[in-house]
Amino acid sequence: MGEKSKGLKGPSPSDRPHPNERRNPQGIRIDPGSSGELENRLATFSALVKHEPGVLAKVSGLFSRRQFNIESLTVGPTEDENSARITLVVDENDTGIIQVKKQLAKLLPVISVKELSEDAVERELCLVKITNHFDQGNSLEQLKELVEKEGVDILDISDGTVTIEVRGSKRDIDDMIEMFDEFEIKEVARTGTVALERGSKKTT
Amino acid sequence: MSKSTNADQENTAEKSNPKTGAQAVVASLEEAGVRVIFGVQGGAIMPVYDALYDSKLEHITMGHEQGAAHAADAYGIVSGQPGVCIATSGPGATNLITGLADANMDSVPVLALTGQVPTNFVGNDAFQECDTIGVSNPVTKANFFATESETVGDLVSLAFLLAREGRQGPTLVDLPKDVTLGEVSDWKYKPPKLPDHVEIPDGADVKVVESAATALIDAKKPVILAGGGVIKGNACEQLYKFATEFEIPVVTTMPGIGSFPEDHELSLKPAGMHGTGYANMALTHCDVMLAVGTRFDDRLTGGVDTFAPTAEIIHIDIDPAEISKNIHADYELVGDAATVLSQLHKVMQAKPNAEEWLEQIKTWKQEYSIEYGERESNGKPRPQYIIEQLCEATESNTIVTTGVGQHQMWAMLYWTYKEPRTWVSSHGLGTMGYGLPAAIGARFAASDDQKVVCIDGDGSFLMTLQELSVAVREELDITVVVLNNAGIGMVRQWQDAFYGHRRMASEYPWVPDFSKIADAFGAKGFLLENVEDVESIIREAIEYKGPSVIDARIDPAENVFPMVPSGGANGLFALTEEHLEEL
Ligand SMILES: Cc1ncc(C[n+]2csc(CCOP(=O)(O)OP(=O)(O)O)c2C)c(N)n1
Ligand SMILES: [Mg+2]
């Protein structure tokens, strides 16, 4: 071990005035004593992007790089063949939600991006494949009853399975999957949410 | 046939009418005003090099593509225009990546051109194929895969423009060999335009400007935090007028060094992990902070919880995504630094009433002076003294480049920066090895009456010293000063402070004699061991016309202070090792 280096002169840290005030992890000044923790919420974004190769990689790369919590991401063509629409649902606090928007807007292939209103029209499609051996006292009849009651469609009955189609908001689908949980669910495929603003409001 | 004689024989008629994609690429660079590009040849980029054969563009062959990217980066910092680097596919492209990531972190305008395997081989794991677009995605502002010979020239023009406009940054164009070889029938240079949906903010919202001005006028303890954006946005004059007219002390970030003259009494030099005590005190206790062109990096803020906890923050930035990203802004001013500072200046009706605060700052400047005392330590010249002497021996327009480590922090603290674009360093990425290739790039952008000095560490120098061959070959007047502490001192300092002095892999049992390495390359080497020789060796090395290297043997035990432990409170910086133990 070498000799101690000399360092500089001046009052030691404990001899200096030091403020008691604090900021929260988002850098917002908070009242002393409060945790200043921000609550997460779900936000739906619609982004109009150039219809070109690599766009999805850029968007998904951004989300993993910046550790944004993403619930779903869908992409598909729009009314204009040169652009595609990406719909994103994120679970973030307000600071994070604003960052998502600003960071998306910075990507060159992103033409425009907007957080949609709470009353926007939102839909997701889900396929659920259920095993057709009803050993826990359930029967195909019971399944059909439930299907009819909930107004969902059976798309296929074969090889000992029943595949149903469920549509609705993300919450509707979560609920519905739970409802069918009493049967043995083998596979689930969900599209993720797509959304448009209502009426004359422009989506993006 | 050598390139120059050939180029002289060609007339320009051929140039204005490119026949291949590669010629269009080169024509686009020429039209953009590019004078010099830095690169390394290779298979997939050969068509572009072949087009360079007929061009007046100067091409500097670097020892390594990382060096090419750093040289382009330094060129971008010093000139304000995109520096251009060029490499082949595969390893050429991946070798550029460190340099591009560095430029991306520090918002430096750089254009990278990479060769790519022919389009029909892409995806087949062809020889020297690499997904350059995928690999460079997270470290570039924008990147493009060229698909057509006819438009590849326009793509390069657009990438050049994007590197420079708005928040600057690196861009890349990947050039498959068939695209550069392909025929071009009718391409002419068109000045590039930003895509319609890309908006670059100019002035900020007038109402917010007015309320920000009111907050500043009412402030009792105002401070300006000047970031790299002040320099990149050419707003130094506006900053100077603003700070001096309203008597507001100026702290800088590291990239902001040079935005305000450090010999001015309002200058507090940089804040942050190794910033001055008085700058960190000012940030910690201010009541209104005018932050310009900064992204509130964690090396600046320390712990977010304790960063300027009593301050209202006015944040000017051209990139809206930087505002309230790390530190919440009470006044969001999106726009170009020069424009918004002028807007703010116009509505400032009075200067803040801050006499007491200015007195306080004067006291802090004395209490926490960075005066280091002795010139010598354990019989060796001290790095602080060497840097002071270097600064004294050169004009104020001298450009300083650095590696990363303790020597970088001493170069920041003990040199007095008076002009913008004279501090050229690696901040956000902290890339060891940046210094020498950066000095080469800076040399090409600097004017003839400017000196270029690289203050390097022995560890950093060892990472890229092959670029000395370029400096010698091109007869570049640069001076490298290796502050040789026989080890990666910054790591050793952290080990001593936070890992119980367990010095794992931080002390070199042996270091080469860098003065002899310099001689072997054909540069001029100096060995500096005695404090009495500091002045004379510096003078000799600076006066030497050509590359010189001073191997300055310093005390390995020397530490950098002040120091804020990472995540700590800026106001609780340590000035000695005892202070660190106290924290
Ligand atoms: C490419 C790279 N690898 C590793 C590091 C981690 N690191 C930071 S400072 C440092 C020491 C640098 O040694 P030297 O250049 O001799 O500078 P000194 O601190 O001794 O002045 C190291 C290894 C880095 N910043 N960059
Ligand atoms: Mg060292």
Side-chain angles (χ1 to χ4, degrees):
Chain A
M1 217 191 296
E3 278 180 47
K4 287 221 161 171
S5 101
K6 299 172 188 63
L8 300 170
K9 296 205 181 66
S12 77
S14 51
D15 292 335
R16 296 174 207 149
H18 200 67
N20 293 320
E21 285 82 349
R22 287 290 176 271
R23 291 179 185 271
N24 74 1
Q26 285 73 39
I28 301 169
R29 278 181 301 151
I30 50 172
D31 294 331
S34 94
S35 79
E37 214 173 290
L38 300 182
E39 301 242 328
N40 276 20
R41 64 178 172 89
L42 288 182
T44 306
F45 285 95
S46 187
L48 211 56
V49 302
K50 291 259 179 68
H51 201 22
E52 59 188 30
V55 179
L56 200 54
K58 283 184 174 149
V59 172
S60 59
L62 172 71
F63 274 73
S64 62
R65 191 160 84 242
R66 298 225 173 243
Q67 302 223 317
F68 293 139
N69 283 320
I70 184 166
E71 287 278 320
S72 75
L73 183 158
T74 71
V75 60
T78 66
E79 69 281 3
D80 169 11
E81 61 172 0
N82 295 318
S83 56
R85 186 180 299 284
I86 294 180
T87 311
L88 285 148
V89 181
V90 300
D91 183 9
E92 283 287 334
N93 60 38
D94 279 339
T95 302
I97 286 167
I98 293 168
Q99 264 296 304
V100 166
K101 180 173 175 204
K102 288 172 166 179
Q103 293 293 344
L104 275 172
K106 270 204 317 185
L107 295 177
L108 191 64
V110 173
I111 300 163
S112 60
V113 52
K114 188 174 143 194
E115 186 191 346
L116 300 188
S117 335
E118 252 172 56
D119 74 343
V121 183
E122 298 197 1
R123 270 290 172 281
E124 180 172 357
L125 177 76
C126 170
L127 303 180
V128 186
K129 188 188 282 180
I130 297 164
T131 313
N132 191 4
H133 29 81
F134 301 98
D135 44 24
Q136 282 146 355
N138 295 320
S139 65
L140 184 57
E141 298 318 311
Q142 278 172 307
L143 176 62
K144 282 187 171 161
E145 242 171 64
L146 188 57
V147 161
E148 195 152 324
K149 181 164 145 253
E150 297 301 334
V152 299
D153 296 328
I154 292 182
L155 300 182
D156 178 58
I157 304 181
S158 62
D159 300 339
T161 67
V162 180
T163 301
I164 60 171
E165 176 193 306
V166 184
R167 282 182 312 272
S169 68
K170 180 184 139 41
R171 170 102 40 86
D172 294 340
I173 292 175
D174 290 345
D175 291 348
M176 202 70 83
I177 290 176
E178 206 168 301
M179 204 154 342
F180 283 96
D181 224 18
E182 62 180 284
F183 305 96
E184 192 187 334
I185 295 177
K186 281 191 78 172
E187 289 179 318
V188 172
R190 300 175 66 155
T191 58
T193 301
V194 290
L196 288 177
E197 288 284 21
R198 254 169 228 275
S200 57
K201 242 188 261 171
K202 199 165 183 308
T203 303
T204 53
Chain B
M1 197 196 297
S2 90
K3 175 195 169 301
S4 55
T5 49
N6 190 52
D8 291 342
Q9 283 162 10
E10 300 288 330
N11 60 31
T12 45
E14 206 177 339
K15 247 191 286 174
S16 58
N17 200 5
K19 294 194 179 65
T20 64
Q23 287 176 12
V25 168
V26 171
S28 157
L29 296 178
E30 288 169 341
E31 293 282 354
V34 177
R35 290 189 298 111
V36 54
I37 69 179
F38 306 91
V40 180
Q41 257 279 26
I45 197 70
M46 284 178 74
V48 179
Y49 272 85
D50 191 59
L52 284 170
Y53 196 82
D54 299 319
S55 167
K56 287 248 158 61
L57 275 182
E58 187 172 10
H59 173 269
I60 304 300
T61 294
M62 300 297 289
H64 188 290
E65 289 86 354
Q66 181 188 347
H70 290 326
D73 174 291
Y75 187 94
I77 293 175
V78 174
S79 72
Q81 294 295 318
V84 182
C85 53
I86 178 164
T88 191
S89 63
T94 54
N95 275 351
L96 284 182
I97 294 298
T98 300
L100 296 179
D102 194 293
N104 196 46
M105 283 293 242
D106 287 352
S107 308
V108 179
V110 169
L111 168 63
L113 301 175
T114 51
Q116 184 54 278
V117 301
T119 313
N120 60 336
F121 283 91
V122 170
N124 292 357
D125 303 322
F127 177 63
Q128 292 194 329
E129 180 185 353
C130 166
D131 175 10
T132 302
I133 292 296
V135 172
S136 64
N137 239 345
V139 299
T140 49
K141 181 179 170 188
N143 62 15
F144 304 93
F145 186 87
T147 53
E148 295 174 328
S149 309
E150 201 65 49
T151 55
V152 67
D154 299 326
L155 206 52
V156 170
S157 302
L158 175 64
F160 187 87
L161 183 76
L162 281 167
R164 189 185 60 200
E165 297 301 310
R167 178 178 179 177
Q168 300 186 318
T171 60
L172 178 144
V173 185
D174 202 22
L175 301 164
K177 203 169 180 178
D178 55 317
V179 172
T180 47
L181 284 175
E183 272 181 36
V184 167
S185 60
D186 176 32
W187 181 82
K188 279 207 181 57
Y189 176 79
K190 299 171 276 307
K193 276 203 334 237
L194 290 173
D196 290 341
H197 69 278
V198 176
E199 274 173 43
I200 294 180
D202 190 22
D205 187 316
V206 183
K207 285 216 183 73
V208 188
V209 170
E210 275 168 7
S211 48
T214 308
L216 258 183
I217 294 166
D218 291 344
K220 300 271 175 302
K221 307 174 188 175
V223 77
I224 294 174
L225 176 64
V230 175
I231 296 169
K232 303 212 167 68
N234 295 316
C236 300
E237 228 174 277
Q238 285 82 352
L239 173 69
Y240 188 84
K241 282 195 199 137
F242 196 93
T244 50
E245 182 171 336
F246 304 115
E247 264 193 288
I248 304 176
V250 181
V251 170
T252 71
T253 68
M254 279 184 75
I257 292 173
S259 60
F260 189 79
E262 292 187 340
D263 56 344
H264 194 284
E265 60 170 353
L266 286 171
S267 166
L268 305 184
K269 288 187 67 95
M273 182 173 277
H274 291 294
T276 65
Y278 39 95
N280 280 326
M281 289 302 274
L283 289 193
T284 303
H285 295 276
C286 66
D287 62 356
V288 177
M289 181 189 301
L290 171 60
V292 193
T294 170
R295 59 183 177 79
F296 290 106
D297 171 83
D298 56 277
R299 282 291 194 265
L300 170 83
T301 59
V304 164
D305 55 334
T306 49
F307 179 74
T310 50
E312 276 205 295
I313 298 203
I314 304 167
H315 192 175
I316 302 176
D317 207 287
I318 194 151
D319 181 356
E322 287 308 338
I323 295 183
S324 298
K325 183 187 81 179
N326 291 344
I327 298 293
H328 178 77
D330 301 284
Y331 304 89
E332 305 194 355
L333 298 174
V334 179
D336 164 70
T339 312
V340 182
L341 271 176
S342 306
Q343 279 182 295
L344 198 57
H345 199 134
K346 273 199 204 105
V347 294
M348 286 286 287
Q349 309 286 6
K351 69 179 186 191
N353 203 335
E355 250 83 280
E356 260 177 62
W357 173 243
L358 290 171
E359 277 309 310
Q360 172 67 76
I361 281 177
K362 256 185 217 151
T363 312
W364 281 336
K365 273 188 158 179
Q366 282 159 5
E367 268 183 327
Y368 301 106
S369 144
I370 54 173
E371 195 63 56
Y372 56 88
E374 309 278 309
R375 300 187 306 166
E376 220 175 348
S377 159
N378 289 330
K380 298 190 162 121
R382 296 187 71 197
Q384 301 89 332
Y385 172 64
I386 295 173
I387 289 166
E388 262 184 10
Q389 289 304 306
L390 270 167
C391 183
E392 268 191 17
T394 50
E395 302 288 327
S396 65
N397 64 358
T398 300
I399 294 169
V400 176
T401 75
T402 74
V404 169
Q406 293 181 314
H407 63 279
Q408 178 188 28
M409 301 306 151
W410 290 316
M412 157 180 92
L413 287 168
Y414 292 97
W415 188 289
T416 305
Y417 298 89
K418 298 176 191 157
E419 296 182 24
R421 304 186 189 281
T422 56
W423 165 256
V424 179
S425 192
S426 169
H427 313 103
L429 200 66
T431 311
M432 287 169 70
Y434 177 83
L436 176 58
I440 292 172
R443 182 68 272 171
F444 281 94
S447 58
D448 289 346
D449 68 342
Q450 271 183 304
K451 295 271 181 213
V452 178
V453 175
C454 167
I455 297 174
D456 223 343
D458 48 322
S460 293
F461 190 49
L462 278 170
M463 288 208 179
T464 52
L465 64 72
Q466 75 278 12
E467 306 301 346
L468 215 42
S469 65
V470 180
V472 174
R473 184 190 346 107
E474 302 293 334
E475 299 174 13
L476 302 181
D477 190 12
I478 60 176
T479 305
V480 181
V481 183
V482 182
L483 296 177
N484 185 350
N485 53 9
I488 45 183
M490 184 60 95
V491 171
R492 197 268 309 140
Q493 178 171 349
W494 279 52
Q495 286 168 332
D496 287 359
F498 311 119
Y499 292 86
H501 297 267
R502 289 155 60 91
R503 297 178 174 179
M504 178 67 197
S506 59
E507 294 171 297
Y508 297 150
W510 170 88
V511 276
D513 182 332
F514 294 113
S515 69
K516 286 198 180 135
I517 288 188
D519 288 339
F521 271 98
K524 181 127 182 74
F526 298 88
L527 188 61
L528 173 53
E529 293 179 297
N530 298 311
V531 75
E532 286 74 35
D533 301 332
V534 170
E535 264 183 77
S536 59
I537 288 184
I538 284 177
R539 191 169 343 104
E540 226 185 302
I542 296 281
E543 275 170 16
Y544 180 74
K545 290 268 165 284
S548 56
V549 177
I550 302 176
D551 183 346
R553 303 291 168 89
I554 61 167
D555 181 4
E558 193 76 56
N559 280 340
V560 183
F561 290 107
M563 177 176 191
V564 181
S566 81
N570 275 348
L572 300 179
F573 50 87
L575 296 169
T576 61
E577 264 163 72
E578 291 69 39
H579 288 177
L580 277 176
E581 280 154 25
E582 192 187 302
L583 289 172

